[in-house]
Amino acid sequence: GLQLVSRSPLALPVVTLHRKTSQRSKMAVPLNGQWQCQCPPHKRCCKIQPSMLACDLADLASEAKSVLAAGADELHLDVMDGHFVPNMSFAHPVVASLRKHVPDAYLDCHMMVSRPSQWVEAVAGSTKGAGARYTFHLEAVEEDELDVAAVVKLIRDHGMQVGVAIKPGTAVEALSAVVALVDMVLVMTVEPGFGGQKFMPNCMPKVLALRSEHPDLDIQVDGGLGPSTIDAAAAAGANLIVAGSSVFKPGVDRSEPIELMRRSVLKLGQGLSEEEIDRKAKKKRR
């Protein structure tokens, strides 16, 4: 499990696997090399969030407007510092520039940085407008001067929603003391730092455990999501879907993968019939 340095009574403890979670995780069994996880029907809103790192970055504003027009609910922005992950991407000045072109878009900022508290003020300033989420990695708090509860408070004090992310190698039990503090949990389905990786279906038991324990939680998945992998994530209980390469694939009508992934979540996650999904789609278009 994840070992965290304790700096206060609010710092994360080392957590062992609870019997209840263990039993529920047994619902996830491998079949023909794929993990089959089916959550109880939930009512969390489905949101499709194109990962802007996969777009033509030389035309970022136009690409953002394109996917929003194609039905995207939010824009997912990957901020990397070259330390927490072995790669660098855009930082808050680019986010601020993008905000000027999409003032009404919700910005979902995935902070792959070593010290989450360091960038809260800058990101809050660059995302002012229609709303934003600041998602930090649980693993990164080890190098931060603040503990998890203090990082969460700092983010909220700056007017943003709070998300917490875990890498594929981090046990879901490490989140037990954190879930009640945040608005969203991100379960990475690839190693963070690079786009275009293959979806890791063995991460789905984490999603299933979270959905079973927390039916009202927003659960996000990020990495390798597209038409061929969405069903596994939707069935496990994910309702916030980050997709990069599958949405920005050259020659593809971007509305098609967005709509396909939405329908999968509504059907396999919320338990809606095809007829009910069609009615929802018609209502949204009005």
Side-chain angles (χ1 to χ4, degrees):
L2 181 68
Q3 300 289 326
L4 292 176
V5 179
S6 179
R7 288 175 293 277
S8 79
L10 290 175
L12 281 177
V14 176
V15 183
T16 56
L17 181 65
H18 294 294
R19 183 178 300 275
K20 182 188 289 185
T21 303
S22 177
Q23 290 173 341
R24 282 174 172 161
S25 295
K26 289 179 181 177
M27 295 170 65
V29 294
L31 178 65
N32 297 327
Q34 297 295 317
W35 286 87
Q36 305 297 313
C37 301
Q38 182 58 61
C39 69
H42 64 82
K43 297 185 181 298
R44 298 308 299 169
C45 181
C46 171
K47 294 181 181 179
I48 308 301
Q49 306 156 311
S51 177
M52 301 309 296
L53 191 63
C55 79
D56 179 1
L57 294 175
D59 200 14
L60 182 60
S62 294
E63 293 279 68
K65 292 176 181 178
S66 171
V67 290
L68 290 169
D73 300 287
E74 300 177 359
L75 301 177
H76 184 82
L77 305 175
D78 289 309
V79 178
M80 308 178 192
D81 64 357
H83 185 245
F84 180 72
V85 293
N87 198 8
M88 297 182 71
S89 64
F90 41 75
H92 55 277
V94 174
V95 177
S97 295
L98 176 62
R99 170 56 90 196
K100 296 175 184 177
H101 295 275
V102 286
D104 298 325
Y106 189 94
L107 302 182
D108 178 44
C109 300
H110 178 193
M111 304 300 295
M112 286 171 270
V113 298
S114 291
R115 293 178 57 225
S117 67
Q118 180 179 357
W119 305 107
V120 171
E121 183 176 358
V123 172
S126 67
T127 59
K128 285 182 179 178
R133 181 187 299 110
Y134 188 105
T135 300
F136 65 95
H137 269 266
L138 186 61
E139 302 89 353
V141 181
E142 291 188 67
E143 297 188 28
D144 204 295
E145 60 188 19
L146 302 182
D147 63 27
V148 171
V151 172
V152 170
K153 183 179 185 303
L154 182 65
I155 295 169
R156 292 203 188 282
D157 287 347
H158 281 81
M160 296 181 288
Q161 286 196 311
V162 184
V164 64
I166 56 172
K167 294 180 179 181
T170 300
V172 70
E173 290 78 27
L175 292 166
S176 64
V178 183
V179 172
L181 304 178
V182 302
D183 302 300
M184 183 272 286
V185 170
L186 162 56
V187 176
M188 291 297 298
T189 48
V190 298
E191 290 296 336
F194 296 91
Q197 298 180 64
K198 290 186 177 180
F199 174 76
M200 299 171 68
N202 59 316
C203 293
M204 290 305 94
K206 298 182 189 181
V207 176
L208 177 61
L210 285 168
R211 178 57 67 208
S212 299
E213 295 282 355
H214 306 282
D216 296 323
L217 177 68
D218 278 332
I219 303 173
Q220 184 180 64
V221 285
D222 179 5
L225 274 301
S228 64
T229 55
I230 183 58
D231 285 356
N239 65 299
L240 304 184
I241 311 299
V242 177
S245 302
S246 62
V247 172
F248 290 105
K249 187 176 181 180
V252 171
D253 180 345
R254 293 168 180 178
S255 65
E256 292 180 2
I258 290 174
E259 177 63 17
L260 187 152
M261 289 186 283
R262 189 186 311 281
R263 294 183 72 92
S264 179
V265 173
L266 295 177
K267 180 178 180 179
L268 299 176
Q270 295 187 10
L272 300 184
S273 67
E274 294 290 347
E275 292 75 17
E276 289 171 320
I277 295 172
D278 286 340
R279 285 198 294 271
K280 266 184 169 287
K282 289 179 181 177
K283 187 177 180 180
K284 187 174 182 178
R285 286 194 292 267
R286 290 173 184 170

